[in-house]
Amino acid sequence: MDSSLLTFQMTVLGLLLVACLSAIALHRLHFPYTIGLVIVGLILGFTSESIPGVAALTGLNLSHEAILFLFLPPLIFESALTLNSRLLLRNITPVLLLATVGLLSATAIASLLMVWLTPLGWREALLFGALISATDPVAVIALFKSLGVPEQLVVLVEGESLFNDATAIVTFNLIVAAASMETDNLPIAALTSFSSSLFGGILIGATLAWATSYLLIAARRNPFIQGTLSAILAFGTFILAEHYLQISGVIAVMSAGMVTSWMVSVRLRPQSRQFLHELWEYLSFVTNSLIFLLVGLATAQVLQEVTEIKPLMAALGVAIAAIFLARAVVVFTLIPLINRIHTAPPIELREQAILVWGGLRGAVGLALALSLENEVDDGRFLVALTLGVALFTLLVPGTTMAALLKRLGFDKSSVIDRLETAEALLSAGDRALDALSDLSLEGKQYQMEIDQVTAQIEQARSEAEAQLESIWDDMKTDPEQRQQALWRQALTVEKQAYRQMHDSGILSATAFMRVSLGISARQSEVAAGHLPPMALSDRILTTRIEASVRRWAKRWLPKKRWRDRVGMEQFSILYECDLAIAQVSHRVIKRLQALPEDCRTHRTFHDCMDYYHSGQQNAQARIVRSSQQQPAAAHRFERHIAERVAYSGREAAIAALLENGVISTGVAETVCRKFEGADA
């Protein structure tokens, strides 16, 4: 066996073992995992010569190509896959401005300070400013989610990181190329390069993800193939965009991840969705484990090789001060301007403070610095500075972020969060009592133990119920908050009901996409305080562009059967959506009627009930009208829905038998093929 391959395998396995052991210890110590890995990497790097066996773990070095083509794609794809795309689009103005204007401004400020206060020349200072201005908040995102930080802030931090990676890479490459270009051509080249990277990346990523979605559907009963296809998509998109097309691989993978997230949510079974998310969480864990350990090892190696520590520490102090000053100037100047033109809820001062302190540095900056190691005179010095800044941001802001969040009150649950928590406890208690009731019928010999556990669950449920009533009582003094709570709860129930209908086969993927878009639009209206939101009607189920295309097709398509097909597609989609609206409105009404009695006397409750009663009646009226106008089409379509539900139920039953080991994989495939043949 090739000794170099064996050494590589042993090194990777050793690092992963260290990462797993560290994760267990850090969890017990309640210390941030990624930051702890950097510290472990530093310790390993400094003790590699004195402790037997540790030296073998230092054989894997970070390189520009490894970070870009090996570590970056899974990190970006996983972030895009789990990012709330609706909230991102709603906050796209601040995200893009921070990632473009903000990053360029931070680059200019940091570069200017580095030229004035360090030995770096203009070119090196500009390169360092460009590579160090890109934020990498992965170490604090998990902390945000665990403390219940508002999702808007999470989207701002994570969305800015995804976009400014691309801006930083484009800016860095332009500065590298600027020395060999005419000054007059530089602005045009910059605009062309940025535009092609941004829009080309979006187009390539979305196109590849759309094409891959058909393969994911074709492999709907094999999650391993689906997972492999998603990995091919992530890495292949980055290589194609970055290496062959010379456009932004970061934007391309981000676009592919967001499109895949949408396609997965509407076209794959719940089991497949869960498998894909768990797979990418695991790949992200492995990638982060390796890269943060290697950052610690690389930093220790650089510090051991430095002959003159004082000049490096002086420049590092200037660099740290420069990036935080630049970040503060950008955030506290740009965000107030954004708040004036942005329609979403304003970004508060305390959130701006988190944006400044949470601007950690990481993989992208290090990858760009490593590409300069042998290209410029101060290349090694820039690598050392980049590692030092990344280490400082991880060890200082990264470890103090939790205290700052608590100081600013982000750890305190909002009334809406407490309301949802109480309702979740109630729902869990009901489900547990149902399960215990079934067990009581089957296991009479354990009735005493069952009764004891049942009493405990009932007590916990009563406490949750009392807490829920208390929360509604607390909102008496805040009518606006009560309005928000009622409408948000109604829309959440509606959204969950549509998802359940889709997963059970009642609602097709196309119709589910339509009603989901309608839900997103109405949730945005409620969040902005526009109450009541737009009505439940077929007008919100079809975009203006699509309506125009359909009208054009009906008028200008040359063959009648083509025109009839367009009309039939429109009929079936709207008919199916109306059926869903009628059923879901009924579910929401029942859920609202189960609210505490005091809540049901409020004016907002009656407004909400009238809204869904009206939506249900109008949908039923449209169903009746459509059935009268095209009875054969309506009958055929309802039969199609019944067949789809039956197929979904049979497929779920076979999947359960297979998972429980009752039947083999071969038998399951044979039975499913018979179902497909019978339904063909």
Side-chain angles (χ1 to χ4, degrees), residues 408-661:
L408 295 176
F410 281 106
D411 62 321
K412 298 176 182 178
S413 300
S414 66
V415 174
I416 302 297
D417 290 336
R418 290 191 287 119
L419 187 66
E420 292 175 353
T421 300
E423 290 179 340
L425 290 172
L426 270 177
S427 177
D430 291 338
R431 182 67 64 88
L433 290 174
D434 289 342
L436 287 169
S437 177
D438 293 339
L439 180 62
S440 178
L441 294 175
E442 297 177 2
K444 292 291 186 181
Q445 65 272 30
Y446 304 118
Q447 193 61 47
M448 183 179 296
E449 288 77 7
I450 294 172
D451 291 342
Q452 290 176 353
V453 176
T454 300
Q456 293 174 358
I457 298 297
E458 287 176 342
Q459 176 65 27
R461 190 190 179 285
S462 299
E463 293 174 358
E465 199 167 26
Q467 183 183 5
L468 187 61
E469 292 180 359
S470 174
I471 294 170
W472 283 110
D473 287 339
D474 293 341
M475 286 193 287
K476 286 181 179 179
T477 58
D478 192 342
E480 185 177 346
Q481 196 170 56
R482 178 177 283 232
Q483 284 183 327
Q484 284 277 337
L486 272 168
W487 282 103
R488 282 184 57 172
Q489 191 166 47
L491 290 172
T492 299
V493 173
E494 186 182 349
K495 185 176 183 178
Q496 291 173 343
Y498 287 133
R499 165 60 69 186
Q500 291 170 358
M501 293 178 72
H502 170 261
D503 290 344
S504 62
I506 300 174
L507 204 58
S508 68
T510 304
F512 178 66
M513 290 173 67
R514 301 299 179 87
V515 294
S516 295
L517 287 173
I519 281 281
S520 297
R522 286 181 286 131
Q523 284 179 325
S524 297
E525 285 194 328
V526 169
H530 300 152
L531 300 174
M534 66 181 77
L536 286 165
S537 69
D538 54 355
R539 285 178 294 177
I540 66 173
L541 303 175
T542 305
T543 63
R544 292 182 180 179
I545 295 176
E546 184 182 7
S548 299
V549 170
R550 289 190 184 279
R551 284 196 299 268
W552 178 89
K554 288 180 181 179
R555 184 173 182 180
W556 297 106
L557 282 177
K559 295 187 178 182
K560 184 178 182 300
R561 69 172 183 273
W562 294 351
R563 296 194 297 271
D564 291 343
R565 183 173 180 179
V566 171
M568 186 55 64
E569 286 180 356
Q570 184 180 20
F571 170 83
S572 62
I573 291 171
L574 294 180
Y575 190 80
E576 185 174 10
C577 289
D578 282 333
L579 287 172
I581 289 173
Q583 293 185 43
V584 169
S585 296
H586 179 66
R587 294 192 196 182
V588 177
I589 290 168
K590 287 184 64 177
R591 178 66 187 87
L592 291 174
Q593 289 172 338
L595 290 174
E597 183 178 355
D598 179 64
C599 180
R600 296 200 301 271
T601 62
H602 197 271
R603 174 64 183 272
T604 304
F605 171 81
H606 295 292
D607 291 342
C608 201
M609 289 288 286
D610 291 343
Y611 176 86
Y612 281 98
H613 273 302
S614 176
Q616 182 184 24
Q617 292 169 1
N618 290 336
Q620 289 173 338
R622 291 194 298 270
I623 291 169
V624 172
R625 187 167 58 249
S626 298
S627 299
Q628 292 173 346
Q629 291 173 350
Q630 300 189 50
H635 176 74
R636 184 167 60 251
F637 183 71
E638 290 181 2
R639 179 178 176 82
H640 178 66
I641 292 178
E643 291 173 347
R644 195 167 63 216
V645 170
Y647 179 83
S648 179
R650 289 184 296 190
E651 191 176 48
I654 296 302
L657 291 172
L658 179 62
E659 184 178 354
N660 294 328

Side-chain angles (χ1 to χ4, degrees), residues 354-381:
I354 296 299
L355 287 173
V356 173
W357 197 239
L360 278 59
R361 271 58 175 179
V364 170
L366 185 55
L368 296 176
L370 288 168
S371 70
L372 296 174
E373 191 169 7
N374 299 317
E375 298 296 327
V376 298
D377 294 337
D378 292 323
R380 192 64 177 168
F381 187 70

